[in-house]
Amino acid sequence: MTNGGRRTMRMISRSPLMMLGCLSGLALSTAVAQTIDEDQSTTLPDFSTYRPVATATRISGEKPVLDGDLSDPVWQQAVPITDFFEVSPANGDFPSEKTTAYVLFDDDNLYFGIYAYDQNPSDIRANQMRRDPRLGRDDNIRIALDPLNTERDGYLFGVSPTGARLDGLLENNADFKSEWDALWQAKTKITDQGWVAEIAIPFRSISYDPNADSWGFQIIRGLTHKNERLHWSNVDQSKRGADFTQVGTLEGIDVETQGRGIEAQLFATVLGSRDWETRTDDI
């Protein structure tokens, strides 16, 4: 079936009038809930120009407790990110599972909370535990950041349902250097509705321009057990998910101190001085 045909069937499934003769009201409600988050748009955007914007919310005082549970009241201050789209196997379609992400920050850390909903949690693939694994072998969440707005270099942080962590440098939208290890934390939990990831990235671990009003930003979800990949931005099957030329934007970050990580424009010099492996399967 073509992508267009698949999309038409999914759009029809959201119409109570057209499905009334086939499904009861309860079954229809369930079908809609399984197809798309109620907060997500029901119209596909023009992905050739699509550049979504997310907002990071400043918090003070109470910090999120990193335990794989998003019930902390502080998460309620965040603006939900719900518009994710399928890139594989169907390019630019609505996803079969919903995903909701949140972004908070304080003077010290950038926090991400992601709920990766799944109708069949027992099918979630979660086997690896070691640092910097081949993350694509399990279900996963990956966050790409371009704090200096280079549109070519940045950072990738990923986590699996078992809490296996992957981090590395992205160079020229092509090379991924997993040997770079930053100081950051992540906790995950598999629930009866899917799985949850809570992530805290210290600002001191990355380079950024404190005067910039936005960063390049991407969230990628791998549903390995369903052979699906979802993107928040850069919905283009011909590009890698962390290709920074067309990622979305993260706004609202206001931190006075200068980042102290490896600066993107110095990647070539730093990487050239070490025999680091180039990996391309995790971006």
Side-chain angles (χ1 to χ4, degrees), residues 68 124-133 135 138-141 158-167 184-190 195-199:
I124 292 173
R125 189 172 298 177
N127 299 308
Q128 301 179 89
M129 294 293 294
R130 67 183 181 87
R131 182 70 178 263
D132 290 338
L135 202 61
D138 284 347
D139 284 38
N140 63 85
I141 294 290
V159 65
S160 77
T162 56
R165 291 184 298 148
L166 170 76
D167 54 5
W184 60 291
Q185 300 179 63
K187 294 295 183 181
T188 59
K189 180 186 294 185
I190 296 177
W195 65 284
V196 180
E198 282 187 293
I199 296 170

Side-chain angles (χ1 to χ4, degrees), residues 148 155 207-208 258-268 270:
L148 296 174
Y155 305 91
S207 289
Y208 60 91
Q258 173 69 51
R260 293 182 292 181
I262 300 175
E263 295 196 10
Q265 61 263 37
L266 297 180
F267 278 8
V270 174

Side-chain angles (χ1 to χ4, degrees), residues 58-70:
R58 173 178 277 282
I59 58 174
S60 59
E62 182 182 6
K63 299 176 181 289
V65 177
L66 297 186
D67 56 3
D69 185 341
L70 299 181

